[in-house]
Amino acid sequence: MTRKIGIIGMGNVGAACAHYIVAGGFVDDLVLIDKNEKKVKADALDFEDAMANLPYHTNIFVNDYSQLDDADVIISAVGHIKLIGGDHPNRFGELKPTGDDVKEVAAKIKQTKFHGIMVVISNPNDVMTSMYQQVLGFPKERVIGTGTLLDSARMKRAVGKAFKVDPRSVSGHNLGEHGNSQFTAWSTVKVMDQPILKLAKDDGLDLDKINEDVRMGGFTVFDGKGYTNYGISTAAVRLSLAILNDARIELPVSNFREEYGVYLSYPAIVGREGILKQLQLDLPQEELDKLQYSADYIKKNLK
């Protein structure tokens, strides 16, 4: 069976996704779509030039929406990241222009025979994921945002450094909006299977400081180079591969939660059909309150 992914939006993030996919040999066919035809054609040629030095071959198609008919996954990387900066950085700075782009892209996808899973990187992520679902009319479990999969990775990086261990030795989740109202659910976090709340108390570790590092991590990267791409592209490809491989893995991604009436990040089991099962965490009241605040913030901006 041919494995096929489409990427719409070939800016810094979309191009990083494409490079990871081509270099890893994850698919047979890759569809690249962007309004800047000169740029996307150049990317395609650049990838083809790389293939003689790779152990894999990937068929690449450019700006052809009909090639999405039999795609397994479409990754939306459209966005206007330069609008999120300033004295008070916020991903909702992209809301209007990216929302307009998403509506246009979703309408074009709707004209194809695509019936796979939509993976959304575009920001503000939870709102854009909701917008794609509404325009496409897909079941909610088939439209997924990368959400706090990246924020959770940033948390694991920060906690790993604090305890001088590999980030993969840290487990746990960041929840809520992929944005300023997200938070680290410390009740879920363990370091080498030891609860961080106990370890932090014993070591005198300031968890609030780590949480702020995580919350502002994307903006720190943005301030340094004007965009973010490696962390988010890796998260998006990981999510896409979980779908392609029917991995049935637990991931903190943006999925529609009925109890909050909105897309937000909360752990779910992801596989070939998208969100296979929504999990239920046993959170303390303080974290439940933070999650409700984040949900309310998303809903307010969704209107």
Side-chain angles (χ1 to χ4, degrees):
M1 182 176 67
T2 300
R3 293 154 66 88
K4 192 173 194 178
I5 288 180
I7 300 174
I8 302 180
M10 283 295 290
N12 292 305
V13 174
C17 286
H19 179 256
Y20 187 14
I21 290 168
V22 170
F26 298 139
V27 299
D28 303 291
D29 298 341
L30 182 62
V31 185
L32 307 179
I33 293 176
D34 194 276
K35 287 181 177 180
N36 186 339
E37 188 148 350
K38 187 175 181 181
K39 164 68 163 60
V40 71
K41 284 183 174 179
D43 277 330
L45 181 59
D46 213 359
F47 289 136
E48 288 170 354
D49 287 344
M51 285 181 203
N53 290 315
L54 290 173
Y56 314 102
H57 178 82
T58 306
N59 301 307
I60 296 180
F61 305 89
V62 174
N63 276 2
D64 185 353
Y65 271 87
S66 70
Q67 284 291 338
L68 299 176
D69 287 353
D70 59 346
D72 301 291
V73 175
I74 294 176
I75 299 172
S76 168
V78 300
H80 296 264
I81 192 170
K82 293 191 182 303
L83 298 178
I84 74 169
D87 293 334
H88 303 284
N90 192 318
R91 291 172 182 85
F92 276 93
E94 292 188 58
L95 181 60
K96 179 64 169 66
T98 301
D100 291 342
D101 288 347
V102 164
K103 290 175 186 175
E104 180 182 340
V105 166
K108 290 180 179 178
I109 294 173
K110 197 171 182 179
Q111 292 172 5
T112 72
K113 298 176 183 177
F114 175 68
H115 59 277
I117 308 299
M118 194 79 206
V119 169
V120 183
I121 299 174
S122 304
N123 280 320
N125 189 245
D126 307 283
V127 173
M128 294 302 115
T129 304
S130 179
M131 192 174 293
Y132 266 113
Q133 189 276 324
Q134 291 172 12
V135 176
L136 292 172
F138 282 12
K140 293 182 176 70
E141 64 269 17
R142 300 185 72 86
V143 184
I144 310 171
T146 48
T148 60
L149 185 56
L150 174 56
D151 303 285
S152 298
R154 287 176 175 146
M155 176 271 291
K156 292 173 184 178
R157 178 261 302 161
V159 170
K161 282 189 175 180
F163 286 95
K164 297 180 173 58
V165 298
D166 188 286
R168 291 169 296 181
S169 296
V170 181
S171 61
H173 307 298
N174 281 56
L175 304 178
E177 175 207 3
H178 173 58
N180 290 1
S181 69
Q182 65 87 28
F183 66 98
T184 303
W186 292 117
S187 67
T188 70
V189 178
K190 293 183 177 181
V191 182
M192 299 198 299
D193 212 34
Q194 297 298 308
I196 194 171
L197 291 174
K198 181 180 184 305
L199 295 174
K201 185 177 180 180
D202 292 344
D203 292 3
L205 193 65
D206 187 347
L207 295 183
D208 289 337
K209 185 177 180 180
I210 292 179
N211 188 72
E212 186 64 10
D213 175 14
V214 174
R215 191 177 72 87
M216 297 303 293
F219 300 120
T220 302
V221 175
F222 176 86
D223 286 343
K225 62 181 188 178
Y227 56 90
T228 65
N229 59 338
Y230 299 129
I232 184 56
S233 62
T234 303
V237 173
R238 184 188 183 195
L239 173 55
S240 299
L241 292 179
I243 295 164
L244 277 177
N245 298 332
D246 195 24
R248 298 171 179 263
I249 187 173
E250 176 185 343
L251 296 174
V253 292
S254 186
N255 58 113
F256 189 85
R257 298 287 303 201
E258 288 289 349
E259 68 268 44
Y260 294 104
V262 74
Y263 271 91
L264 52 70
S265 282
Y266 202 102
I269 303 299
V270 178
R272 187 78 185 177
E273 300 303 316
I275 300 295
L276 302 181
K277 180 181 180 182
Q278 293 183 313
L279 303 183
Q280 193 65 48
L281 301 173
D282 184 18
L283 300 175
Q285 190 59 49
E286 179 186 7
E287 292 177 356
L288 288 171
D289 291 345
K290 288 179 179 179
L291 191 56
Q292 184 64 61
Y293 172 83
S294 194
D296 291 343
Y297 182 78
I298 297 166
K299 281 192 282 190
K300 179 182 71 174
N301 284 281
L302 186 58
K303 293 177 182 178

